[in-house]
Amino acid sequence: MTRPSARHVLPEFTEHTASGRRSTDPYSRLMEERIILLGTPIDETSANDVIAQFMYLEHRDPDRDISLYVNSPGGSFHAMSAIHDTLRYVACEVETVCLGQAAGTAALLLAAGTPGKRYVLPGARLVLHQPALTEPVEGRASDLAVRAEELSRVRARLEQMLVRHTHRTPEQARSDFERETVLDARAAVDYGLADRIVTRREGLRAAPGTR
């Protein structure tokens, strides 16, 4: 079986343990802490990486929380939807934390976390915007009409997610997607995308084994 190649070469470091020495990397240590980092644009590759980690951690212990750390400019709606549905499918409660930015589809992943466990760091920046085509569109009129209908369907699904996770009205969601809405940490909490601002990780997560 051929493993997919990593986007970046990760640094390794050696730890001294009771049984000797072992080499590890930052992502392996995060997994031990049940932390998943989404730090790239959202596409099929990053979605599959995140989904695999969700499923593995749920299998290891379905009664412990999983933390999803988000620093992403957003990306594909369909890739985000796969992560979103998995986040809601697993038995574990999911804490979401925005550090850096959560733009477009990434902002909705932050909001999809377990209510009361959605956090932003003080310098976080969140952006809401309507979906757009990322490449020039050419073809027959009938084909262009199909693309336009699909874009409208995606926007409607984004609005539904925003209403579900923030308790905004459909009219508010529709209005906020009309233009780019930029929110700092305090505004994101006031909007309902997150529950509170945190400055330290200590005390952020529930104790192991609690729900």
Side-chain angles (χ1 to χ4, degrees), residues 96-170:
T96 53
V97 184
C98 177
L99 58 169
Q101 68 170 332
T105 53
L108 291 172
L109 285 180
L110 176 76
T114 300
K117 297 182 178 182
R118 305 172 306 164
Y119 308 111
V120 288
L121 271 61
R125 174 180 181 269
L126 289 86
V127 183
L128 299 174
H129 57 73
Q130 62 180 300
L133 296 174
T134 57
E135 56 188 21
V137 179
E138 299 178 354
R140 296 171 298 182
S142 57
D143 294 333
L144 297 180
V146 170
R147 296 290 294 273
E149 289 176 5
E150 173 65 6
L151 203 59
S152 295
R153 187 191 71 81
V154 167
R155 172 166 172 161
R157 287 283 292 120
L158 290 171
E159 291 176 1
Q160 291 169 6
M161 289 180 180
L162 190 66
V163 169
R164 177 193 300 168
H165 298 309
T166 67
H167 304 297
R168 294 267 158 173
T169 67

Side-chain angles (χ1 to χ4, degrees), residues 12-192:
E12 289 192 350
F13 51 89
T14 301
E15 293 182 317
H16 294 275
T17 66
S19 58
R21 300 169 61 185
R22 68 165 183 169
S23 295
T24 187
D25 61 76
Y27 284 102
S28 297
R29 290 302 303 269
L30 290 176
M31 283 286 285
E32 291 176 7
E33 295 291 325
R34 298 180 67 82
I35 294 172
I36 299 171
L37 175 62
L38 175 58
T40 65
I42 299 173
D43 58 18
E44 285 71 18
T45 299
S46 59
N48 286 336
D49 289 345
V50 169
I51 289 168
Q53 292 175 82
F54 267 123
M55 302 303 289
Y56 170 76
L57 292 174
E58 181 199 33
H59 175 73
R60 285 289 303 269
D61 192 339
D63 295 321
R64 286 183 61 193
D65 288 6
I66 297 172
S67 294
L68 176 64
Y69 281 45
V70 180
N71 178 27
S72 171
S76 163
F77 165 78
H78 300 291
M80 180 279 290
S81 185
I83 299 174
H84 174 275
D85 289 351
T86 303
L87 183 155
R88 297 175 61 81
Y89 171 77
V90 295
C92 311
E93 293 192 352
V94 179
E95 168 193 276
T96 53
V97 184
C98 177
L99 58 169
Q101 68 170 332
T105 53
L108 291 172
L109 285 180
L110 176 76
T114 300
K117 297 182 178 182
R118 305 172 306 164
Y119 308 111
V120 288
L121 271 61
R125 174 180 181 269
L126 289 86
V127 183
L128 299 174
H129 57 73
Q130 62 180 300
L133 296 174
T134 57
E135 56 188 21
V137 179
E138 299 178 354
R140 296 171 298 182
S142 57
D143 294 333
L144 297 180
V146 170
R147 296 290 294 273
E149 289 176 5
E150 173 65 6
L151 203 59
S152 295
R153 187 191 71 81
V154 167
R155 172 166 172 161
R157 287 283 292 120
L158 290 171
E159 291 176 1
Q160 291 169 6
M161 289 180 180
L162 190 66
V163 169
R164 177 193 300 168
H165 298 309
T166 67
H167 304 297
R168 294 267 158 173
T169 67
E171 293 74 23
Q172 288 173 323
R174 193 172 304 115
S175 174
D176 292 334
F177 273 121
E178 278 298 323
R179 65 197 185 284
E180 188 171 83
T181 302
V182 181
L183 307 168
D184 62 13
R186 172 49 56 192
V189 172
D190 293 341
Y191 192 94

